[in-house]
Amino acid sequence: MSTAPANDHAGTQRNSAVLITGAGGEIGHGLIEALHREGRRDVVALDLRDMDPALKPLCRDTLVGDITDTSLLERILAMYEVDAIYHLAALLSTRSEFVPEAAHQVNVQGTLNLLRLAADQAASHGRSVRFVFPSSIAIYGLPGAQAKAAAGKVREDQYCTPATMYGCNKLACEHLGRYYSEFYRRLAKDRPRGAAARIDFRCIRFPGIISAFTLPSGGTSDFAPEMIHAAAQGKPYACFVRPDARIPFMTMPDAVDAMLRLAGADAARLSTRVYNVGAFAPSAEEIRGIVSRAFPGAADLITFKVDEDRMGIVDSWPADVDDSLARREWGYAPRHTLATAFSDYLLPNIRARYAR
Ligand code: SER
């Protein structure tokens, strides 16, 4: 593991930083670009792998390492004055089912390590540390396809009985974030008092996210982006869910905007720490229809070869989410509908990408 800081901070004042974990992943790509556009020049990016060379110049520092390595996190604390953390690192839902204990280590223990880092940071500089966390529709667990059809748009407080390790992990982290924000070490005599020296945990339960530029790996909502990217390259694709499978989705730019908007929202307007967001909720067949009209030949290339086990996970996730709280309290307003997601974002960018 190399932590190779860009400069040596020993003996000098710590530099301010916004820390992004899992920074080389799908959301990290979009988030680093957006933070740079917003003028932040103090992004410290942490990932298991060396960062994409295109992103490095947008970061103050890029670190290679593991969030379960507490000595690495201590070094970050020593080097930087962190005022915001976007904790994106996780094993996704399909992969986690093969290695549930490893998923717990990364998804829960890793998050606990970051919450501890944030608490130590807040105590050391005396200001609140904003902790932005992507949770997921995987925290919902509907008992089956029939209940799912009857439930319609699910609210934040319904069906919080996840049926995957990833969903259990994310739900646990939602509660840990709330605990660290409101009750951390509540009986300890030396606990920092006052809102300033605390964590301000804010969390979005994301639906499936579709990017024109990157592909997910190890997720269960991957069938949509995989189908679109395969069709654009003229490759066959066997979709692992039934044609009628339906979950909510959104585009990556809307997901990144949502995180930044929630991060910047006035705390006085927030009645909770956990918000649903969604944008459109097509069935797999509807996605296939749009893709087939966009890419000649795709209709024959896209087939359905249902994996009953992964399908079972999708049947436990809601067909759509009620995101009215997010819209009301912090102005969540996705710019892409299903139609404009394709016409304005996915098709032009994906065509350009594979034409090269
Ligand atoms: N999209 C993720 C997955 O499928 C859920 O958050 O794992």
Side-chain angles (χ1 to χ4, degrees):
M1 187 205 71
S2 106
T3 55
N7 44 15
D8 180 11
H9 309 285
T12 62
Q13 227 184 347
R14 292 181 303 170
N15 284 321
S16 78
V18 48
L19 175 65
I20 304 180
T21 71
E26 281 207 285
I27 301 180
H29 269 82
L31 182 63
I32 289 172
E33 286 165 0
L35 284 169
H36 195 263
R37 273 199 305 277
E38 280 196 344
R40 280 211 80 144
R41 297 292 179 264
D42 58 352
V43 167
V44 172
L46 171 63
D47 200 275
L48 274 180
R49 280 172 285 275
D50 200 19
M51 290 290 291
D52 180 343
L55 293 177
K56 280 190 178 174
L58 309 184
C59 303
R60 162 172 283 165
D61 206 350
T62 57
L63 310 175
V64 177
D66 191 327
I67 54 167
T68 61
D69 174 0
T70 49
S71 63
L72 165 64
L73 299 183
E74 274 159 25
R75 281 206 295 286
I76 294 175
L77 178 71
M79 286 191 298
Y80 294 104
E81 210 168 279
V82 175
D83 59 41
I85 298 177
Y86 291 83
H87 173 38
L88 312 179
L91 290 189
L92 293 187
S93 57
T94 291
R95 185 162 306 155
S96 294
E97 285 316 299
F98 291 98
V99 285
E101 292 78 17
H104 182 87
Q105 274 306 311
V106 174
N107 295 348
V108 182
Q109 187 59 48
T111 300
L112 198 73
N113 294 344
L114 265 302
L115 287 166
R116 174 73 196 269
L117 170 89
D120 289 349
Q121 284 280 338
S124 84
H125 57 53
R127 295 187 309 279
S128 125
V129 173
R130 202 142 290 184
F131 195 109
V132 184
F133 182 69
S135 185
S136 162
I137 51 165
I139 71 92
Y140 296 110
L142 290 113
Q146 228 179 338
K148 169 170 170 157
K153 291 188 175 198
V154 165
R155 279 197 325 266
E156 282 86 348
D157 58 352
Q158 296 179 297
Y159 301 104
C160 293
T161 45
T164 59
M165 189 59 171
Y166 174 80
C168 292
N169 293 164
K170 287 288 186 185
L171 189 58
C173 292
E174 292 182 5
H175 287 293
L176 290 173
R178 186 174 52 78
Y179 167 76
Y180 269 75
S181 295
E182 291 165 27
F183 306 111
Y184 182 53
R185 297 177 71 235
R186 61 190 298 171
L187 299 184
K189 293 258 177 322
D190 64 341
R191 84 177 161 113
R193 308 271 158 177
R198 291 222 193 108
I199 298 181
D200 183 350
F201 179 85
R202 301 177 179 199
C203 164
I204 294 180
R205 286 183 188 155
F206 280 116
I209 304 177
I210 311 176
S211 168
F213 302 101
T214 56
L215 269 163
S217 67
T220 311
S221 58
D222 297 5
F223 63 89
E226 281 173 2
M227 189 188 295
I228 300 164
H229 282 261
Q233 297 169 82
K235 291 185 179 164
Y237 182 68
C239 181
F240 58 81
V241 295
R242 291 188 311 266
D244 69 326
R246 188 184 297 277
I247 52 170
F249 283 98
M250 71 195 305
T251 62
M252 185 59 79
D254 279 335
V256 168
D257 278 0
M259 288 192 106
L260 295 175
R261 200 180 275 241
L262 176 59
D266 178 358
R269 298 199 54 196
L270 307 181
S271 67
T272 176
R273 298 190 177 276
V274 177
Y275 292 90
N276 278 343
V277 300
F280 39 85
S283 67
E285 179 59 37
E286 281 160 14
I287 301 171
R288 180 177 171 274
I290 298 175
V291 168
S292 301
R293 287 192 290 283
F295 300 104
D300 297 327
L301 291 170
I302 300 168
T303 54
F304 288 89
K305 186 165 181 284
V306 179
D307 175 332
E308 292 300 338
D309 296 323
R310 291 179 96 185
M311 186 64 239
I313 293 177
V314 173
D315 279 338
S316 78
W317 291 354
D320 204 354
V321 287
D322 179 341
D323 59 12
S324 50
L325 261 189
R327 290 176 191 261
R328 204 161 56 234
E329 296 189 357
W330 46 275
Y332 170 63
R335 77 190 100 149
H336 292 134
T337 61
L338 177 61
T340 63
F342 277 88
S343 62
D344 299 359
Y345 169 63
L346 293 170
L347 296 180
N349 287 309
I350 289 182
R351 283 200 177 105
R353 175 182 166 164
Y354 294 114
R356 270 186 250 132

